[in-house]
Amino acid sequence: MSWAGFKKVRELKTGKIAIVGAPNVGKSVLFNDLTGSYVTVSNYPGTTVEILRGRAKIGGSEFEVIDTPGMYSLIPLSEEEGVAREILINESIDLIVHVIDAKNLERMLPLTFELLEATPGVVLVLNMMDEARASGVSIDHCLLEEMLGIPVIPAVSISGEGIDRLKEIIAKRFRSGFSPSRQASPIVRYSFEDDLRELESLIPKERHVSSRCLALWLLKGDEEIRARISLVAPDAVRRAEAIRSDRACFRGRIPEYEIAAEQRTVTRRIASQVFEMEGEGGGRFFHWDRYLMKPVTGIPILLLVLYFGLYQFVGRLGAGTLVGFIEGTVFEKYLNPFFVSVSARLIPWESLRDLLTGEYGMITLGLRYAIALILPIVTLFFLVFSVLEDSGYLPRLAMLLDRAFKKIGLSGRAVIPMVLGLGCDTMATMVTRTLPTKRERVISTVLLALAVPCSAQLGVIFALLSRHPEALAVWAAVIGGVFFVTGFFSACLLPGERASFYMELPPLRAPKLSNILVKTFARVKWYLEEVIPLFLLASFLIWIGRLTHTFDFTIAALEKPVSWLGLPPESASAFLFGFFRRDYGVAGLYDLSREGILNGNQVLIACVALTLFLPCIAQFLMNIKERGWKTATAISVFVLFFSFGIAYGLNWVLLKAGVSL
Amino acid sequence: MKCSLCGFEFQENEGRSVCEGCVLAKSCSLIKCPRCHFELVPDSEVTQWERKLSLGAIIRSFLSRRKGVPGETPARAASGPSEILKCGEKVIPLPDLQPNNRGKIAGIGFCDRNALRKMMVMGVFPGVEIELIQRFPSCVFRIGQSRFTVDRELASLIHVKSSG
């Protein structure tokens, strides 16, 4: 390439910036501050599973910004952390922005060391300075800058404090071609420095990661790195193994832990000089926290949260009042008659009219179910969930329920997808990714598919059964029983080691209204995009079925198994709808019950069957995506037979006992 | 007790005798296997209580009472003979610390790689100060400004030097 060409390439080259840090330190917010687009901001570790890329215009040049999944260390603990490291190794990152929670400086600084060992292009952002100040923390960032040899920026990403300074530094670094400000000498000198130096010299130079860092990873026993380096420098791998086994056998030390411990010693020394704290800390709501965590008070509080948040707010207000208004008044009185009359005037073909505004029409049934029945319920649920999430209540719930969840082969960590599952099982199945072992992921997918009703279902069920409190109690007992019994047996059947539980408890925070609204909006949007096409598709398929008479045939075929459950033949259509979405099925039930076709027992049986019924199409697709088609199909077949079995059993028991609700 | 490395079964005092000559023996609650010299952690007191209260133990003690044979009592944890108190410090598993008490981490017990990493993530390193906040239903402790919750199994791997 000629010099002129080379120069041109340089001019066109844009910088690449990666935002790195532990979960829950405000990386996503900082990403949005830089790029100006919105992504979900979350309070519990591990929501940013996908990698987000955005473009930022800083000082007249354009940069690519990458938001990486949260990580605690460069040696990955989970799949997500592995992804974050892959980005740093494989993509030519010009500048790493390491975001840390300022008040946890001491715990988070070791990752800065690891990053600095890998590449000199690191900027440290001390985020959440407002919280740190509030808990009496002060940090001498100038001294820290001097000690680390990299720019250190105190910031509050939510309010935008410190962002200008970060942009300034990025622009400055870009102008100097991202050459490091100084040739950094290693901050941490290890007790086995000689061995390390020797190993370093055996490893050929890499473009993005320093040899010292690779040598350290080898010593820590990282499998992936070992496989990679053994291709280019088998000597280094052999030497590293020798050093490892020497230290492990003769000195009883595990290099990985030793390295971390020595880094920690250095951190403590640095922190003792730059970090000062007055008072006890622990946030504004420190005193309330005790009551949330003690089981004696925590469990009553949990029940109150469930009663007010779920039953009163989502069930009574959402599924009762709001649905009644939108469905009964807006749709029945105004919209449906309007659409019917418009289509009667404009569309001459009866079959097409049927598709849009018939009994199962796209507008009169599909849109009505989606907007009038499901939307208000789901919106209210996500509102409650966002409040719980942002206040930091969920980790406390995880702690309270860990012991119970251990019995069903899960750990407290699985509480979060389970609670989210009460909103939308599809979304929750996606979140099971954050669980550490495959066994836990499979168990929670089964439970989500079977025994966790989503908010749309819940809302309609609350509305249906609120007139029969005994039936509601029986329903809750049956579903709860199925949840624990299925979990218990799948834990016995599935191989794998016991789940172990650890989780950080973030301080309790007062949730910010704007954050909650934005989050709820993002989730509702995701949900509607998922749901409306499916509802319309269902209407369309039913229309085709009716034209070709397969619809009547399927209903006739379903009438038999439905009658075994002691249900009237009309409810067969609700089950057929249930194949599309479980909530769609329950919504069909809602219509039937309003027409007075079902008695108390039948409503209860149908509710139990449809709660346990097949996962909706979206969840089935998500199961395939997350667990593979074999597991997904197996789960669906099991769920189909099991749900009918339980409903049949319940009906038999009710008949024998002569109970009528 | 039984060595978790080689499976050798031995009495606790046999294990203690291996440590004779070690300067740290007095303030150390770890027990060495007489066969392979692997260091074992005695069960925490809470774990022992749990074992006593577990269904199996209740049935066993019930059966043995009916037979007129004294029930099998689980081995007592080496909370240490009185001379340990003389130097003012002892090493105990974290769940044995009283809630709202502090201690310095002495080390961590033998565990697999995953547990080790979790310890590293939480900042459980020798010499770091740790405060136990509560131990039921799960252990909650504080290191620096962060609070963590762990289950009993992980918590008993953390050995804490406590005074008194």
Side-chain angles (χ1 to χ4, degrees):
Chain A
M1 195 189 286
S2 69
W3 271 110
F6 182 70
K7 213 173 165 197
K8 194 153 189 205
V9 170
R10 261 209 77 112
E11 270 169 16
L12 279 176
K13 183 183 174 289
T14 59
K16 218 180 216 182
I17 300 163
I19 300 176
V20 171
N24 207 15
V25 292
K27 289 189 298 297
S28 302
V29 185
L30 191 77
F31 174 79
N32 294 327
D33 284 344
L34 285 178
T35 59
S37 69
Y38 189 75
V39 217
T40 313
V41 194
S42 190
N43 199 17
Y44 63 81
T47 6
T48 338
V49 180
E50 285 100 357
I51 297 138
L52 300 158
R53 288 166 197 269
R55 300 222 145 253
K57 220 169 168 95
I58 299 165
S61 5
E62 204 167 81
F63 295 86
E64 184 180 344
V65 187
I66 307 173
D67 184 15
T68 62
M71 64 171 163
Y72 286 108
S73 146
L74 278 179
I75 297 290
L77 248 182
S78 67
E79 205 181 332
E80 288 162 48
E81 285 187 340
V83 171
R85 189 175 71 170
E86 280 302 297
I87 295 173
L88 298 186
I89 296 178
N90 292 335
E91 304 206 14
S92 40
I93 302 291
D94 294 302
L95 191 67
I96 296 175
V97 178
H98 181 206
V99 188
I100 67 172
D101 173 4
K103 62 184 182 310
N104 280 317
L105 181 79
E106 194 179 322
R107 194 160 64 86
M108 300 196 167
L109 220 44
L111 182 58
T112 318
F113 297 163
E114 285 186 53
L115 291 169
L116 273 172
E117 273 158 3
T119 161
V122 181
V123 174
L124 183 66
V125 174
L126 305 174
N127 200 11
M128 310 209 258
M129 278 305 285
D130 52 342
E131 267 184 27
R133 279 179 217 127
S135 51
V137 166
S138 61
I139 296 173
D140 185 348
H141 68 269
C142 298
L143 184 61
L144 187 60
E145 205 168 278
E146 212 172 281
M147 291 173 102
L148 296 176
I150 53 168
V152 176
I153 306 157
V156 182
S157 61
I158 293 182
S159 71
E161 185 188 321
I163 302 299
D164 289 336
R165 174 114 199 274
L166 177 62
K167 286 184 175 169
E168 218 171 86
I169 285 169
I170 292 173
K172 207 170 109 196
R173 281 295 184 91
F174 179 66
R175 280 197 296 275
S176 65
F178 287 113
S179 62
S181 49
R182 61 158 204 175
Q183 202 54 43
S185 58
I187 299 172
V188 186
R189 292 187 179 279
Y190 298 97
S191 54
F192 45 87
E193 196 70 28
D194 295 340
D195 285 339
L196 188 63
R197 287 273 159 83
E198 188 197 333
L199 200 55
E200 218 180 302
S201 63
L202 290 174
I203 298 172
K205 283 240 176 315
E206 250 252 29
R207 212 150 57 96
H208 306 311
V209 181
S210 74
S211 308
R212 183 183 169 87
C213 177
L214 290 174
L216 276 169
W217 284 347
L218 269 185
L219 279 181
K220 287 178 187 172
D222 190 277
E223 295 291 329
E224 217 183 293
I225 295 298
R226 201 180 63 179
R228 275 190 205 191
I229 293 184
S230 66
L231 295 178
V232 285
D235 288 353
V237 175
R238 248 172 277 139
R239 181 74 194 116
E241 287 309 309
I243 297 171
R244 271 173 65 80
S245 61
D246 170 58
R247 299 193 78 79
C249 297
F250 299 112
R251 305 178 208 188
R253 289 169 180 170
I254 307 156
E256 199 178 345
Y257 190 69
E258 216 179 338
I259 289 170
E262 284 179 29
Q263 282 175 346
R264 188 53 69 109
T265 316
V266 177
T267 331
R268 230 179 302 157
R269 203 192 62 225
I270 292 181
S272 69
Q273 293 179 43
V274 301
F275 189 89
E276 241 176 89
M277 198 184 78
E278 294 160 15
E280 267 297 293
R284 263 191 295 165
F285 304 99
F286 187 67
H287 296 288
W288 297 23
D289 211 4
R290 247 179 311 169
Y291 301 112
L292 288 182
M293 295 200 301
K294 294 265 178 250
V296 186
T297 42
I299 288 174
I301 292 176
L302 165 65
L303 294 178
L304 280 181
V305 167
L306 283 181
Y307 178 74
F308 283 105
L310 217 55
Y311 184 71
Q312 288 291 350
F313 193 65
V314 180
R316 298 298 283 272
L317 179 69
T321 319
L322 270 182
V323 169
F325 173 71
I326 303 181
E327 150 94 327
T329 314
V330 179
F331 265 84
E332 297 276 279
K333 277 207 182 127
Y334 302 103
L335 289 180
N336 275 359
F338 170 74
F339 283 120
V340 169
S341 70
V342 166
S343 74
R345 248 181 296 152
L346 295 181
I347 305 170
W349 309 280
E350 205 203 321
S351 58
L352 187 61
R353 217 159 49 212
D354 221 28
L355 170 66
L356 292 177
T357 55
E359 192 188 346
Y360 302 102
M362 282 174 140
I363 294 171
T364 40
L365 188 88
L367 265 189
R368 180 169 65 95
Y369 275 178
I371 291 174
L373 275 175
I374 310 301
L375 177 69
I377 302 173
V378 168
T379 310
L380 289 194
F381 176 85
F382 283 144
L383 208 60
V384 174
F385 189 77
S386 304
V387 172
L388 291 184
E389 194 185 17
D390 271 16
S391 61
Y393 180 65
L394 291 176
R396 282 152 183 87
L397 193 60
M399 183 216 81
L400 274 181
L401 295 180
D402 174 56
R403 289 202 144 199
F405 270 53
K406 283 277 166 59
K407 298 264 185 288
I408 55 171
L410 296 172
S411 75
R413 214 165 259 267
V415 166
I416 290 166
M418 291 300 155
V419 175
L420 185 60
L422 292 174
C424 173
D425 283 313
T426 312
M427 203 183 259
T429 308
M430 199 166 81
V431 173
T432 55
R433 247 180 246 182
T434 55
L435 300 178
T437 63
K438 193 179 166 214
R439 180 168 180 257
E440 285 169 76
R441 291 194 284 265
V442 171
I443 294 178
S444 48
T445 310
V446 171
L447 290 177
L448 284 172
L450 179 68
V452 178
C454 65
S455 64
Q457 267 182 317
L458 264 182
V460 183
I461 285 170
F462 282 154
L464 273 173
L465 295 179
S466 60
R467 269 167 291 154
H468 317 275
E470 323 82 66
L472 188 64
V474 175
W475 173 84
V478 170
I479 301 298
V482 167
F483 181 84
F484 277 101
V485 171
T486 321
F488 183 76
F489 282 111
S490 44
C492 291
L493 289 174
L494 282 172
E497 54 185 299
R498 273 186 60 140
S500 87
F501 172 64
Y502 86 103
M503 195 176 229
E504 185 174 354
L505 292 174
L508 285 179
R509 292 172 192 158
K512 253 179 86 175
L513 185 67
S514 60
N515 242 343
I516 287 174
L517 291 181
V518 166
K519 254 170 158 170
T520 310
F521 176 75
R523 289 206 169 103
V524 169
K525 192 168 148 249
W526 180 91
Y527 187 83
L528 285 182
E529 280 167 5
E530 197 87 352
V531 156
I532 289 187
L534 275 177
F535 274 36
L536 295 182
L537 178 74
S539 279
F540 181 70
L541 287 179
I542 291 172
W543 177 70
I544 288 188
R546 275 158 64 92
L547 278 186
T548 56
H549 297 289
T550 39
F551 178 69
D552 300 323
F553 176 74
T554 324
I555 290 213
L558 270 175
E559 274 172 13
K560 194 80 199 151
V562 165
S563 71
W564 290 335
L565 305 181
L567 298 176
E570 287 89 342
S571 54
S573 63
F575 281 86
L576 185 61
F577 292 170
F579 277 106
F580 295 102
R581 284 189 64 88
R582 287 195 285 190
D583 43 347
Y584 206 15
V586 189
L589 217 57
Y590 183 75
D591 275 357
L592 284 179
S593 151
R594 250 189 356 178
E595 287 161 23
I597 295 175
L598 301 172
N599 66 28
N601 272 13
Q602 287 170 333
V603 171
L604 171 64
I605 301 285
C607 279
V608 167
L610 277 171
T611 309
L612 299 175
F613 204 54
L614 278 187
C616 66
I617 292 181
Q619 194 186 350
F620 180 63
L621 293 178
M622 186 60 81
N623 282 353
I624 292 181
K625 194 174 149 203
E626 295 287 322
R627 297 290 96 80
W629 64 270
K630 267 191 211 157
T631 316
T633 319
I635 290 176
S636 289
V637 170
F638 164 72
V639 165
L640 180 62
F641 286 100
F642 193 73
S643 62
F644 266 95
I646 292 284
Y648 182 79
L650 181 63
N651 185 37
W652 187 81
V653 169
L654 288 180
L655 275 182
K656 284 284 162 198
V659 180
S660 84
L661 297 165
Chain B
M1 57 197 300
K2 193 175 171 185
C3 173
S4 54
L5 190 68
C6 68
F8 182 64
E9 284 193 42
F10 58 96
Q11 290 297 313
E12 212 177 288
N13 46 6
E14 283 180 70
R16 292 259 167 230
S17 63
V18 184
C19 298
E20 274 171 20
C22 173
V23 247
L24 296 174
K26 280 186 177 174
S27 56
C28 166
S29 66
L30 297 176
I31 299 169
K32 274 197 170 184
C33 165
R35 189 161 87 181
C36 69
H37 286 211
F38 179 68
E39 286 177 339
L40 296 163
V41 197
D43 283 335
S44 80
E45 275 174 46
V46 187
T47 321
Q48 281 183 33
W49 268 107
E50 248 178 13
R51 195 173 297 160
K52 261 188 214 168
L53 292 174
S54 78
L55 203 61
I58 291 171
I59 293 170
R60 231 176 294 138
S61 72
F62 180 69
L63 286 177
S64 59
R65 199 179 304 156
R66 283 189 62 179
K67 280 185 202 155
V69 183
E72 181 194 344
T73 44
R76 238 195 94 54
S79 54
S82 55
E83 57 256 37
I84 286 175
L85 295 173
K86 212 160 48 185
C87 46
E89 278 190 336
K90 57 182 177 180
V91 175
I92 51 172
L94 180 67
D96 281 2
L97 204 64
Q98 286 303 313
N100 297 321
N101 272 9
R102 290 174 195 202
K104 271 219 161 92
I105 295 169
I108 56 174
F110 181 74
C111 57
D112 63 8
R113 215 180 155 80
N114 280 333
L116 194 73
R117 294 236 180 106
K118 283 169 192 156
M119 298 291 174
M120 282 158 47
V121 163
M122 294 186 290
V124 176
F125 291 108
V128 175
E129 197 178 60
I130 189 170
E131 180 186 346
L132 185 71
I133 297 172
Q134 98 182 40
R135 53 186 181 190
F136 184 84
S138 307
C139 276
V140 178
F141 61 83
R142 192 168 68 83
I143 288 184
Q145 280 302 291
S146 310
R147 279 179 302 166
F148 296 93
T149 165
V150 294
D151 54 25
R152 185 61 46 70
E153 289 77 28
L154 276 177
S156 1
L157 288 175
I158 305 174
H159 301 166
V160 183
K161 238 186 285 174
S162 98
S163 44

